[in-house]
Amino acid sequence: MTSEQLQALDQAHVCHTYARFNLCVDHGKGATCYDPEGKAYVDFSSGIGVNSLGFCDEDWVRAVTAQAGKVQHISNLFYTEPCAVLAQLLCQRTGMEKVFFCNSGAEANEGAIKTARKYSFDKYGRGRQEIIALENSFHGRTMATLSATGQAVYHNFFFPFVEDFTFVEAGNLAQLEAAVGEKTCAVMLELVQGEGGVIALDPDYVRAVEQLCREKDLLLVVDEVQTGVGRTGKFLACEHYGIHPDVVTIAKGIGAGLPLGAVLFGEKTASVLGYGQHGTTFGGNPVACAGGRVVLEKLDEAQLALVREKAQYLREKLMQLPHVAAVTGLGMMIGIELADGKEAKKVVELAIEEGVIPLTAKSKVRLLPPLTITYAELDQGLEALARALARA
Ligand SMILES: *Cc1c(COP(=O)(O)O)cnc(C)c1O
């Protein structure tokens, strides 16, 4: 099928919830993919932070295909090795105690929200169910995670939303302290707001939030769906901040391309959810978990040190480009603030024409390259991006 035929077919039958860019992806290897006509593109998007090992990493392909040919699914009423092993690796890596597997970021956050309410119900009874989240946050598209998302554009059409979410300004500790009341059970945040514009929270603020949560017995829930699994140069962004949340959610990068999410529970929350109180058919799927195991094994400390080096290289090069006002974010989670009235969406459209795939986040151009990208691919992508900036 040509790109033209594919686009027509998709337009005719796929629900128009995505404003797709003019690009059909046929296959890829490493951080480079190809359209049906054979044109190459350097991928600075990783499918929004998903393809942590790039396209079709050989070890990942081997693990998932071997598992697909062994046992591809059995219900959660039974045990499978990939699920148990991945849970063990995640606990060892993060210091958390238990894992609930699901299929997406929103679903992981649903699990975290239910956990926060149940923890409080078990200990304090009814009425202590409010969750404080941050303005400009993004936590997903389900009813509860939309309700937890602190952006007015998402609070539309689908009324009524889930009750008892309240929002405070990121970085404003006094406002948070004032918002905590009898009803509050948890604080939920992203350490680097991704969809909100690639904005890293201030470390002193984050540590003060953790302290406040400890004092008031509020659960600290950190949404690492985008920041987790090596994206910021540490396995969890929490490590940059020196915090130990009660609940951490991950998704995107852990599956490396297959749908996989997880809720990680600390000491306080490890036994909050009991038999029959939460579940999902596909959670802990052996094929997805076999792939997740490869991600954890490949992203060792040496690989994460390389991620930090490459991120620094990319950031320095970006700062030298014309029409770049500032570079934000953390590690390989990069926001580019544009100068000279350049428009992010336009830059991305032209960048794709030039052979590199960036993303947008609000008014910024956003880069989430595969963690395994090579320096040659970084240079090639930067050159294409520079041409796009010049044309925009
Ligand atoms: C992408 C994202 C989500 C939602 O994940 P889905 O897999 O799309 O449901 C939630 N939180 C954050 C921080 C995200 O970046």
Side-chain angles (χ1 to χ4, degrees), residues 21-320:
F21 286 98
N22 180 21
L23 171 63
C24 302
V25 177
D26 185 71
H27 61 282
K29 191 77 201 158
T32 305
C33 63
Y34 301 85
D35 67 16
E37 287 72 33
K39 182 177 167 187
Y41 302 82
V42 175
D43 182 21
F44 275 2
S45 73
S46 310
I48 318 193
V50 167
N51 295 338
S52 41
L53 305 179
F55 293 103
C56 307
D57 173 84
E58 275 167 28
D59 297 314
W60 181 85
V61 170
R62 204 174 299 123
V64 301
T65 50
Q67 187 59 45
K70 200 174 171 200
V71 57
Q72 85 280 22
H73 175 78
I74 186 73
S75 100
N76 273 313
L77 299 172
F78 308 101
Y79 299 92
T80 61
E81 191 177 304
C83 170
V85 169
L86 182 58
Q88 178 194 33
L89 290 173
L90 282 169
C91 289
Q92 285 170 348
R93 199 62 185 270
T94 61
M96 301 299 270
E97 296 202 350
K98 288 273 193 301
V99 181
F100 176 86
F101 286 114
C102 55
N103 313 287
S104 70
E107 215 188 325
N109 288 332
E110 286 278 339
I113 291 163
K114 285 175 73 175
T115 303
R117 287 189 169 183
K118 172 104 186 341
Y119 171 82
S120 201
F121 179 88
D122 288 347
K123 204 158 166 186
Y124 302 96
R126 285 184 77 134
R128 192 176 179 275
Q129 73 260 332
E130 182 186 69
I131 296 175
I132 301 178
L134 299 186
E135 288 169 6
N136 199 43
S137 61
F138 181 82
H139 296 298
R141 302 286 198 152
T142 61
M143 288 307 293
T145 58
L146 275 182
S147 304
T149 290
Q151 299 186 52
V153 291
Y154 292 106
H155 297 173
N156 225 326
F157 318 125
F158 312 116
F159 305 100
F161 288 90
V162 177
E163 285 175 65
D164 286 318
F165 287 91
T166 190
F167 300 97
V168 296
E169 188 190 355
N172 187 337
L173 189 65
Q175 205 185 21
L176 174 64
E177 284 169 342
V180 174
E182 304 259 283
K183 272 174 43 170
T184 313
C185 69
V187 176
M188 180 169 183
L189 49 80
E190 301 154 89
L191 293 169
V192 184
Q193 295 187 324
E195 304 305 309
V198 201
I199 303 163
L201 298 189
D202 173 60
D204 289 337
Y205 169 74
V206 171
R207 282 189 287 269
V209 173
E210 181 182 47
Q211 182 66 29
L212 181 68
C213 287
R214 296 283 165 266
E215 281 164 19
K216 308 269 184 185
D217 194 23
L218 310 174
L219 293 190
L220 178 59
V221 177
V222 176
D223 177 348
E224 294 236 27
V225 168
Q226 193 162 152
T227 55
V229 195
R231 177 51 53 192
T232 66
K234 301 271 190 186
F235 187 75
L236 291 180
C238 287
E239 296 166 45
H240 289 287
Y241 287 82
I243 57 164
H244 299 91
D246 302 298
V247 180
V248 173
T249 55
I250 58 173
K252 294 197 166 100
I254 183 66
L258 284 175
L260 179 60
V263 191
L264 311 179
F265 301 109
E267 198 188 330
K268 253 187 183 179
T269 54
S271 50
V272 169
L273 297 176
Y275 293 124
Q277 290 166 354
H278 199 44
T280 175
T281 299
F282 289 115
N285 171 272
V287 178
C289 286
R293 176 179 181 165
V294 175
V295 173
L296 257 81
E297 285 170 351
K298 291 200 116 170
L299 287 184
D300 58 10
E301 286 309 317
Q303 190 63 39
L304 289 179
L306 285 178
V307 172
R308 293 193 293 273
E309 273 175 33
K310 286 177 198 167
Q312 198 185 337
Y313 176 82
L314 183 53
R315 285 163 179 280
E316 281 167 10
K317 293 280 175 182
L318 286 168
M319 280 306 295
Q320 292 162 14

Side-chain angles (χ1 to χ4, degrees), residues 21 39 41-42 44 318 321-324 336 338-359 365 367 379-392:
F21 286 98
K39 182 177 167 187
Y41 302 82
V42 175
F44 275 2
L318 286 168
L321 291 185
H323 316 298
V324 170
I336 305 171
L338 299 170
D340 313 317
K342 303 278 177 184
E343 221 188 300
K345 182 142 189 291
K346 182 87 186 150
V347 171
V348 172
E349 281 166 2
L350 293 169
I352 291 169
E353 283 182 22
E354 294 291 347
V356 63
I357 310 174
L359 297 162
V365 171
L367 308 184
D379 286 339
Q380 203 186 327
L382 279 161
E383 282 164 25
L385 191 60
R387 292 194 297 272
L389 283 165
R391 284 173 61 200

